[in-house]
Amino acid sequence: MLILAALLPLLIMREFTPSNELRYLNIADEAIANGSFFAFTDHGVPYADKPPLYFWIAIGLKSLFGKHIMFLLSLLSVIPAFVIAWIMDRWTGDKLRPEERTAGTLMLFTSLYFLASSIVLRMDMLMCMFIVLSLYEFYRMYTNKDGEIAAKNKTRVKTARQYRINRALLPVFVFLAIFSKGAVGFLVPVISILVFLAADRNLRVTGKYLGWRFWTILLCLCIAWFTGVYIDGGSSYLHNLLFNQTVNRAVNSFHHKKPFWYYGIAYWYAIAPWCILCIVAIIKGYYKRIMHGTREKLFACTAFSTIIMLSFISSKIVIYMLPAIPFFIYLMVILLPKMNTGGWIKASVAIPALLLIIAFAASLPMNQIIAKMNESSPGSPLELPTLWAPYQIFTLILALGGIGALVFIKKKNLSGAIISIASSILIMLFAGSLSMRSLNKYVGIKEGCERAIKTANANGETVCYYDFSSGPNLDYYLKQHGMKIKEIEKSEISDVKGVVLFCKTRDIRKDSLLNKRVAALPREEGGGDISIIEIPK
């Protein structure tokens, strides 16, 4: 309940972000308008970057309710997140005390990128849910030896029936993972299973799990999908989907290209504040030889093989490692009760607790520091978003969680310390998100678009954007008023007149042409890093 309460204000009050979220809504709207549900377009340009499952659900919700509703679309991330937590708890709960199970769930939801992925409108959490479900079905098959024998002998006992169900669901869930996000939904479960079987010295039985039944079901589902794509988009769209968005992005990415070691650095903030505890517990578990169980091996193989596999792929962003996060967290959760929670383990929990206390101490003189900074540079004053209470109230909540954690550590209650830290993070998130309506101008672009529309209509001007990728997505709000947004090219910026211009604030400083044209004109904040400038006729 605490987790849901912490997320609820964000789900209800948050605006759509101008980059991916508005793009997805525009794609869904174009699919409805064009009657094309396998081959999508983004402002008329073929968009083969993502499979259709997420768009289908968005289209269904729009058809039912007549508009895109943030709360309902947010459920496409929130519900999969809770399903993942439920599956991981069910997977490990038989060996854990109630307090340890609570700590595991709270750690998962307060891991930075799992928490962020539960809020944003993306396909990643949906894909992650199906990956977790597919690996859970594999685990149930692998450990159901009686069911395997009974199924082989074609008996109708309960264990045989369960084995057959797991055997059928494994390829279905792998397909749904692909159908949610793409090739990673296939690579993560299949590579994890192969690496686990090799680590368990049982690679010879691969055919039992990834045999002809698996490939037949998977290929039939994929062929049905690709047939729909071919009918809707033709051979060029199908080629783009199968090769450009998979092979090319993997080998030599045209987007999000990063070095091999990228995830080695990203790990430390993706799983914060539990990153130190995870690594210490896993290293200690390995050297103490307590990672010999089937679950421990599978979790470790999934977590590390996913990171290594993603490191070989050219296109990299932090959220891609989301499928590894539940397995890192729950590997640590099932290892902790088996080991002596001595110095290193206690320190791994005490460090984030101390950081929360330090954050409160650092926030006390914050107002005075900002005032002095603004005195030294009055031309560009620093202004923090306005919340319903002073920032010190929110950091105090974190500090109280940190103090509580240190008390629990002293009492040798590690689960209590973890719960104290995680609870303070969730309470702070809830308290801060109550100011979401005033924060939306930093997140979304709705208010900025409404002001631009009003100004443009009053003065007979055109709404334009200059040189940023999410510019076309502003159409989502403009087309509701019968307007379209126009792109201003670099060659046009010097002479453009009679426009309301959206541009990146940082580009005003960096782009000499843009700076020369608009630096002397008044500008408004449009949301995020976007400025709105009226260039009169």
Side-chain angles (χ1 to χ4, degrees):
M1 289 301 293
L2 176 61
I3 297 167
L4 183 59
L7 298 178
L8 201 56
L10 290 170
L11 308 187
I12 296 172
M13 295 189 288
R14 186 173 73 82
E15 276 295 336
F16 300 112
T17 60
S19 53
N20 287 325
E21 293 183 352
L22 286 186
R23 177 183 292 114
Y24 297 156
L25 301 189
N26 275 314
I27 290 168
D29 288 345
E30 288 186 33
I32 294 172
N34 299 334
S36 177
F37 301 108
F38 284 94
F40 300 105
T41 59
D42 181 11
H43 294 88
V45 178
Y47 184 85
D49 190 41
K50 301 291 188 298
L53 181 59
Y54 187 91
F55 296 122
W56 283 1
I57 301 172
I59 289 166
L61 292 173
K62 172 76 178 286
S63 301
L64 282 173
F65 297 95
K67 62 179 181 179
H68 295 296
I69 301 171
M70 169 60 78
F71 175 75
L72 295 177
L73 290 167
S74 295
L75 296 180
L76 301 183
S77 296
V78 172
I79 291 175
F82 277 102
V83 171
I84 291 168
W86 176 69
I87 290 294
M88 298 304 293
D89 179 74
R90 184 178 179 183
W91 203 339
T92 59
D94 61 319
K95 299 295 183 182
L96 301 173
R97 293 180 290 114
E99 192 178 42
E100 292 166 345
R101 295 175 69 177
T102 301
T105 302
L106 289 174
M107 275 192 285
L108 181 61
F109 269 98
T110 52
S111 298
L112 180 58
Y113 265 77
F114 192 88
L115 177 61
S117 302
S118 303
I119 298 168
V120 298
L121 306 186
R122 285 182 63 101
M123 302 83 173
D124 299 81
M125 192 63 82
L126 198 62
M127 177 191 69
C128 185
M129 177 184 73
F130 289 124
I131 288 172
V132 169
L133 285 168
S134 66
L135 289 169
Y136 184 54
E137 295 303 325
F138 163 74
Y139 172 80
R140 295 176 75 186
M141 288 173 63
Y142 192 77
T143 55
N144 186 6
K145 301 302 181 185
D146 292 338
E148 180 186 342
I149 294 169
K152 188 176 182 180
N153 295 331
K154 299 182 179 181
T155 60
R156 296 185 178 272
V157 297
K158 185 178 179 180
T159 54
R161 186 167 60 251
Q162 185 60 60
Y163 186 87
R164 294 188 191 102
I165 292 171
N166 300 144
R167 188 168 60 190
L169 286 177
L170 173 59
V172 170
F173 285 138
V174 171
F175 171 75
L176 288 172
I178 302 168
F179 208 50
S180 301
K181 188 69 192 288
V184 172
F186 167 79
L187 292 172
V188 171
V190 170
I191 290 175
S192 298
I193 290 169
L194 291 173
V195 171
F196 165 76
L197 291 174
D200 209 37
R201 299 181 181 180
N202 219 0
L203 204 54
R204 64 186 181 280
V205 300
T206 301
K208 292 181 182 179
Y209 312 104
L210 303 177
W212 67 268
R213 288 185 182 87
F214 174 88
W215 294 108
T216 300
I217 294 172
L218 185 61
L219 286 173
C220 285
L221 292 170
C222 286
I223 289 169
W225 170 25
F226 299 150
T227 301
V229 170
Y230 181 78
I231 293 170
D232 256 4
S235 58
S236 61
Y237 190 98
L238 184 61
H239 182 273
N240 190 5
L241 175 71
L242 294 178
F243 296 99
N244 194 44
Q245 298 297 334
T246 52
V247 177
N248 290 347
R249 290 185 73 166
V251 177
N252 187 20
S253 176
F254 47 86
H255 199 39
H256 305 311
K257 191 171 183 177
K258 295 291 189 300
F260 177 82
W261 58 84
Y262 176 80
Y263 291 109
I265 298 170
Y267 164 87
W268 295 101
Y269 54 90
I271 309 184
W274 313 114
C275 49
I276 302 174
L277 181 59
C278 278
I279 286 296
V280 169
I282 291 169
I283 292 174
K284 192 171 182 180
Y286 176 78
Y287 280 104
K288 294 286 184 180
R289 301 182 183 276
I290 56 175
M291 290 177 60
H292 50 74
T294 302
R295 267 177 299 203
E296 289 86 341
K297 283 184 183 178
L298 180 56
F299 285 14
C301 289
T302 301
F304 287 103
S305 68
T306 298
I307 296 297
I308 294 169
M309 179 269 293
L310 291 173
S311 297
F312 280 101
I313 294 175
S314 178
S315 178
K316 299 179 182 72
I317 55 175
V318 183
I319 203 169
Y320 290 173
M321 67 177 287
L322 180 65
I325 293 177
F327 295 97
F328 271 118
I329 293 293
Y330 272 87
L331 176 58
M332 175 256 292
V333 168
I334 58 179
L335 287 176
L336 285 178
K338 300 179 181 181
M339 61 181 65
N340 177 25
T341 54
W344 281 104
I345 298 294
K346 287 182 178 179
S348 301
V349 181
I351 289 171
L354 289 170
L355 290 175
L356 298 184
I357 297 169
I358 292 169
F360 170 65
S363 72
L364 292 176
M366 182 174 64
N367 295 335
Q368 292 83 352
I369 293 171
I370 291 174
K372 288 184 178 180
M373 289 174 64
N374 290 339
E375 286 175 8
S376 62
S377 57
S380 55
L382 175 63
E383 294 182 6
L384 295 177
T386 302
L387 304 180
W388 64 267
Y391 279 81
Q392 290 81 358
I393 297 296
F394 304 103
T395 55
L396 176 61
I397 295 170
L398 297 176
L400 292 174
I403 293 168
L406 294 177
V407 171
F408 279 115
I409 290 171
K410 188 174 181 180
K411 294 180 178 179
K412 299 181 179 180
N413 184 347
L414 199 65
S415 295
I418 291 168
I419 292 170
S420 180
I421 292 172
S423 298
S424 70
I425 293 172
L426 293 170
I427 293 169
M428 188 274 293
L429 177 64
F430 171 78
S433 62
L434 294 177
S435 298
M436 198 64 233
R437 295 201 188 280
S438 64
L439 295 173
N440 272 328
K441 64 181 179 181
Y442 302 98
V443 175
I445 197 69
K446 183 179 181 181
E447 290 183 18
C449 285
E450 289 174 348
R451 292 196 303 271
I453 291 164
K454 186 177 180 180
T455 302
N457 285 336
N459 301 326
E461 296 168 335
T462 306
V463 181
C464 302
Y465 71 93
Y466 175 78
D467 196 31
F468 65 99
S469 60
S470 57
N473 302 335
L474 306 183
D475 260 357
Y476 177 76
Y477 295 114
L478 297 173
K479 66 188 176 185
Q480 297 170 11
H481 298 266
M483 303 176 72
K484 296 285 287 183
I485 195 163
K486 176 187 173 184
E487 182 179 7
I488 298 295
E489 302 286 348
K490 284 185 178 290
S491 59
E492 302 174 89
I493 190 64
S494 298
D495 302 316
V496 69
K497 295 179 181 179
V499 301
V500 178
L501 185 69
F502 286 80
C503 60
K504 289 286 187 180
T505 303
R506 63 175 177 266
D507 288 345
I508 297 174
R509 298 189 299 269
K510 295 179 179 179
D511 188 319
S512 58
L513 290 173
L514 179 64
N515 184 276
K516 185 177 180 180
R517 188 70 184 89
V518 306
L521 296 173
R523 66 175 184 256
E524 299 182 33
E525 294 297 326
D529 186 42
I530 296 174
S531 290
I532 305 172
I533 302 168
E534 183 184 8
I535 305 178
K537 295 179 180 179

